Amino acid sequence: MKANRHTFLFTETLWTAAGLYILADGRRVDCEGWTRIIHNADVWVNDGAMKLLLPEPVEFQNRYEFSPLTAGATVAEWRSINPGLGVLHGRFIIVEDSIISPWESEDGKWRGWEFILQTDAFRYLSRGCIMQGEVLAGSWVMELSRSE
C-alpha cells in the first residue's frame, strides 16, 4: 500500500471512534470519540475528542496541526495544544498500511504513541498509550469508522 492510499489524514472527512480505554489501575472503560480532518491551503488539521464513558464522563480534546502531506510523503511533524497536557509535539509516520505517531509534551512530563492500522478505506484500528514520566497513565484500543 502506498502512503497516498490512506484515507485517514489524506481525506477531509469525519471519523467516529469506539472502543476501550484502560486506566492506570487496569480498569477497562468504554469510550467513544470523533475526529475531523480539515485541509486548508497552508495547514492540515486533525481535530477531535475521546470520551471515557464513566458514571461522570471524562472527555479529552486534541487539535493537531501539520503541514499538508504531498503524494508520497512519509513523515509530517505536528503540534497540538491539549487542554490537559499542554503543548504537544509529534510526528505522523506513514509505514505502508500504518500510521505511527510518537509524541511528547513540551515540558517533558508526558509522552505517548499511537499506532493506526488501515483495514480498508473506511476503517482503521487505533492502539495507543500515554505515559507520565516512566509510568503508564492509560492506553486505548479503538476502531475508527469513516462517517461521510
Side-chain angles (χ1 to χ4, degrees), residues 8 18 52 56 66-67 81 87 90 96 98 106 121-122 124 131 145:
F8 188 71
L52 306 186
E56 297 213 12
F66 53 102
S67 296
I81 298 176
V87 177
E96 296 293 327
S98 304
E106 201 165 67
F122 297 93
Y124 281 79
M131 306 280 294
S145 298

Short mmCIF file of all heavy atoms in Angstrom, two decimals, residues 8 18 52 56 66-67 81 87 90 96 98 106 121-122 124 131 145:
data_model
loop_
_atom_site.label_atom_id
_atom_site.label_comp_id
_atom_site.label_asym_id
_atom_site.label_seq_id
_atom_site.Cartn_x
_atom_site.Cartn_y
_atom_site.Cartn_z
N PHE A 8 -7.28 8.16 6.07
CA PHE A 8 -7.14 8.95 7.30
C PHE A 8 -5.99 9.94 7.08
O PHE A 8 -4.95 9.58 6.54
CB PHE A 8 -6.85 8.04 8.50
CG PHE A 8 -6.88 8.76 9.80
CD1 PHE A 8 -8.08 9.22 10.32
CD2 PHE A 8 -5.72 9.01 10.50
CE1 PHE A 8 -8.12 9.90 11.53
CE2 PHE A 8 -5.73 9.68 11.70
CZ PHE A 8 -6.94 10.14 12.22
N ALA A 18 -14.88 4.14 18.53
CA ALA A 18 -15.44 3.43 19.68
C ALA A 18 -14.45 2.37 20.12
O ALA A 18 -13.71 1.82 19.30
CB ALA A 18 -16.77 2.78 19.30
N LEU A 52 -14.43 9.13 27.82
CA LEU A 52 -14.49 7.92 28.64
C LEU A 52 -15.88 7.86 29.25
O LEU A 52 -16.33 8.79 29.91
CB LEU A 52 -13.44 7.96 29.75
CG LEU A 52 -11.98 8.21 29.33
CD1 LEU A 52 -11.07 8.06 30.53
CD2 LEU A 52 -11.58 7.30 28.21
N GLU A 56 -19.43 9.62 35.54
CA GLU A 56 -19.30 11.03 35.19
C GLU A 56 -18.29 11.07 34.04
O GLU A 56 -17.08 11.00 34.26
CB GLU A 56 -18.81 11.85 36.38
CG GLU A 56 -19.80 11.81 37.52
CD GLU A 56 -19.82 13.09 38.32
OE1 GLU A 56 -19.25 14.10 37.89
OE2 GLU A 56 -20.43 13.04 39.41
N PHE A 66 -0.60 20.40 11.16
CA PHE A 66 0.62 19.97 10.48
C PHE A 66 0.60 20.45 9.04
O PHE A 66 -0.44 20.81 8.50
CB PHE A 66 0.79 18.45 10.56
CG PHE A 66 -0.40 17.64 10.10
CD1 PHE A 66 -0.41 17.05 8.85
CD2 PHE A 66 -1.51 17.47 10.92
CE1 PHE A 66 -1.50 16.30 8.42
CE2 PHE A 66 -2.60 16.72 10.51
CZ PHE A 66 -2.59 16.13 9.25
N SER A 67 1.79 20.48 8.43
CA SER A 67 1.90 20.90 7.03
C SER A 67 1.22 19.89 6.13
O SER A 67 1.23 18.69 6.41
CB SER A 67 3.37 21.03 6.63
OG SER A 67 3.98 22.05 7.37
N ILE A 81 -2.17 21.81 20.93
CA ILE A 81 -2.37 22.39 22.25
C ILE A 81 -3.48 21.58 22.90
O ILE A 81 -4.62 21.62 22.46
CB ILE A 81 -2.71 23.89 22.18
CG1 ILE A 81 -1.56 24.65 21.54
CG2 ILE A 81 -3.01 24.42 23.59
CD1 ILE A 81 -1.81 26.12 21.32
N VAL A 87 1.26 21.92 25.50
CA VAL A 87 1.69 21.87 24.10
C VAL A 87 2.37 20.53 23.84
O VAL A 87 3.26 20.11 24.59
CB VAL A 87 2.65 23.03 23.77
CG1 VAL A 87 3.15 22.93 22.34
CG2 VAL A 87 1.96 24.37 24.01
N GLY A 90 4.78 16.05 17.92
CA GLY A 90 4.90 14.66 17.49
C GLY A 90 5.05 14.55 16.00
O GLY A 90 5.26 15.54 15.30
N GLU A 96 3.59 1.96 5.04
CA GLU A 96 2.67 1.09 4.30
C GLU A 96 1.22 1.30 4.75
O GLU A 96 0.70 2.37 4.58
CB GLU A 96 3.10 -0.37 4.41
CG GLU A 96 4.46 -0.66 3.77
CD GLU A 96 4.47 -0.52 2.26
OE1 GLU A 96 3.45 -0.80 1.62
OE2 GLU A 96 5.51 -0.12 1.72
N SER A 98 0.05 1.58 7.74
CA SER A 98 0.01 2.07 9.11
C SER A 98 0.46 3.52 9.23
O SER A 98 1.22 4.01 8.40
CB SER A 98 0.91 1.22 10.00
OG SER A 98 0.54 -0.14 9.91
N GLU A 106 5.67 19.48 25.61
CA GLU A 106 6.77 20.45 25.56
C GLU A 106 7.55 20.49 26.88
O GLU A 106 8.77 20.67 26.89
CB GLU A 106 6.20 21.83 25.23
CG GLU A 106 7.21 22.79 24.66
CD GLU A 106 6.53 23.97 24.01
OE1 GLU A 106 5.91 24.78 24.73
OE2 GLU A 106 6.63 24.08 22.77
N ALA A 121 -10.67 1.33 3.28
CA ALA A 121 -10.78 2.78 3.07
C ALA A 121 -11.69 3.46 4.09
O ALA A 121 -11.63 4.67 4.28
CB ALA A 121 -11.28 3.06 1.66
N PHE A 122 -12.52 2.67 4.78
CA PHE A 122 -13.49 3.24 5.71
C PHE A 122 -13.24 2.87 7.17
O PHE A 122 -14.04 3.22 8.03
CB PHE A 122 -14.91 2.79 5.31
CG PHE A 122 -15.29 3.30 3.95
CD1 PHE A 122 -15.07 2.53 2.82
CD2 PHE A 122 -15.83 4.56 3.80
CE1 PHE A 122 -15.40 3.01 1.56
CE2 PHE A 122 -16.16 5.05 2.55
CZ PHE A 122 -15.95 4.27 1.43
N TYR A 124 -10.11 2.05 10.34
CA TYR A 124 -8.76 1.95 10.91
C TYR A 124 -8.88 1.41 12.33
O TYR A 124 -9.88 1.64 13.01
CB TYR A 124 -8.09 3.32 10.99
CG TYR A 124 -7.53 3.82 9.68
CD1 TYR A 124 -8.35 4.38 8.72
CD2 TYR A 124 -6.17 3.76 9.42
CE1 TYR A 124 -7.84 4.86 7.53
CE2 TYR A 124 -5.64 4.23 8.23
CZ TYR A 124 -6.48 4.79 7.29
OH TYR A 124 -5.96 5.26 6.12
N MET A 131 2.10 8.06 28.73
CA MET A 131 2.99 7.86 29.87
C MET A 131 3.19 9.18 30.61
O MET A 131 3.34 10.23 29.97
CB MET A 131 4.37 7.37 29.39
CG MET A 131 4.37 6.15 28.50
SD MET A 131 4.21 4.62 29.40
CE MET A 131 5.74 4.57 30.32
N SER A 145 -14.16 4.70 12.23
CA SER A 145 -15.01 4.44 11.07
C SER A 145 -15.30 5.76 10.36
O SER A 145 -15.70 6.75 11.01
CB SER A 145 -16.34 3.82 11.50
OG SER A 145 -16.12 2.59 12.13
#
